[in-house]
Amino acid sequence: MKSAEETTPATIRRRRGVVRASITRLSSRLDDLEGKTDRTTHDVAQRTSLKLTELDSEFKTYHYRLIDLIDEDETIGREQAVLDEHDDIIATLDARVKRIIAACSAKVESADHKAASRKLSHLEKNLTSISEAISSLTAESEPCLIQQYGEQVQDIKTALGDTRNTLLSLDFDGDALMTTLERLDKGVFDCSLKIKRLMYSPSTSAPTDPA
């Protein structure tokens, strides 16, 4: 049970004031974050957004508890002005933190997009080399060599799957990179088919399915 002191208007105003001071400190934190677009800033901004919501709720809890204890219309009017000012501050801070998160997200997604593009370019070069090498093989080729190429194709297939998951998580479905992925998937299928035909050819001894 709360003591009489804990439920006095003065005590509640004081605690509400502590929450307001915390909100002011969040504003200073945003001052430090604005203009930065790295992953750390993104994470801090997200935590700040959650904290802002928490403090807003805490401020209003004290505010409405205070209103319940006040009878004078003049005092209630002053308290309403306090709440209006608080709402304006929260709205401003919320807009600022959302802009920071959006700017960081765009930068992070752009970096991931470039990384995926470089990875696909590397995989395409490897797949092209393997495809050319496979084309020169025959059923009389060394089985271990055929199997080695099969394993390399399987590695590329796995890497393509990882890259696809990354792009889909970043909402890049339909992007030009997805078109490249589909083309490479077809290349992997074609290479795998050629390898299986070689390995299961009557002239090839001890076939082993790499896939």
Side-chain angles (χ1 to χ4, degrees):
M1 183 175 179
K2 296 176 182 175
S3 66
E5 181 181 356
E6 289 179 317
T7 58
T8 63
T11 298
I12 296 174
R13 282 194 181 94
R14 184 165 57 250
R15 292 180 177 176
R16 186 183 64 179
V18 171
V19 177
R20 175 182 283 182
S22 296
I23 293 172
T24 299
R25 285 193 291 274
L26 286 187
S27 179
S28 299
R29 181 185 298 177
L30 293 181
D31 289 341
D32 294 335
L33 296 179
E34 286 173 328
K36 300 177 182 177
T37 55
D38 55 272
R39 289 181 184 272
T40 300
T41 298
H42 179 270
D43 293 343
V44 173
Q46 286 191 317
R47 290 196 298 271
T48 301
S49 179
L50 293 174
K51 186 64 176 179
L52 183 63
T53 300
E54 177 185 323
L55 290 174
D56 178 36
S57 177
E58 190 174 354
F59 181 95
K60 288 177 178 175
T61 296
Y62 285 124
H63 177 82
Y64 290 121
R65 188 181 299 170
L66 177 62
I67 293 299
D68 289 341
L69 298 176
I70 295 175
D71 295 325
E72 302 85 355
D73 291 341
E74 181 179 348
T75 303
I76 291 178
R78 288 198 299 268
E79 294 302 335
Q80 182 60 48
V82 170
L83 180 61
D84 290 343
E85 180 185 9
H86 166 79
D87 285 340
D88 288 344
I89 292 172
I90 293 296
T92 299
L93 294 179
D94 183 60
R96 289 175 63 190
V97 75
K98 284 179 178 177
R99 283 196 297 269
I100 293 170
I101 291 173
C104 291
S105 297
K107 182 68 175 292
V108 169
E109 289 182 359
S110 176
D112 287 337
H113 191 280
K114 290 179 180 178
S117 179
R118 289 194 298 269
K119 185 172 183 179
L120 286 178
S121 178
H122 175 70
L123 292 174
E124 186 166 22
K125 290 178 181 178
N126 288 348
L127 185 60
T128 299
S129 297
I130 293 172
S131 179
E132 292 174 352
I134 293 173
S135 297
S136 66
L137 298 177
T138 67
E140 286 73 30
S141 298
E142 177 64 40
C144 290
L145 181 60
I146 298 174
Q147 183 174 351
Q148 182 180 17
Y149 283 126
E151 292 171 351
Q152 291 176 9
V153 170
Q154 184 61 36
D155 289 341
I156 291 176
K157 181 178 180 180
T158 300
L160 289 175
D162 293 340
T163 304
R164 174 180 286 101
N165 291 336
T166 298
L167 293 176
L168 290 176
S169 70
L170 297 171
D171 294 326
F172 284 135
D173 190 14
D175 184 87
L177 293 184
M178 296 301 290
T179 301
T180 302
L181 263 171
E182 292 173 2
R183 187 177 70 252
L184 294 181
D185 279 340
K186 184 179 183 304
V188 165
F189 176 82
D190 291 343
C191 285
S192 297
L193 185 59
K194 291 176 183 177
I195 289 171
K196 286 183 177 181
R197 284 174 176 169
L198 288 169
M199 298 189 73
Y200 286 98
S201 169
S203 299
T204 305
S205 60
T208 304
D209 187 350

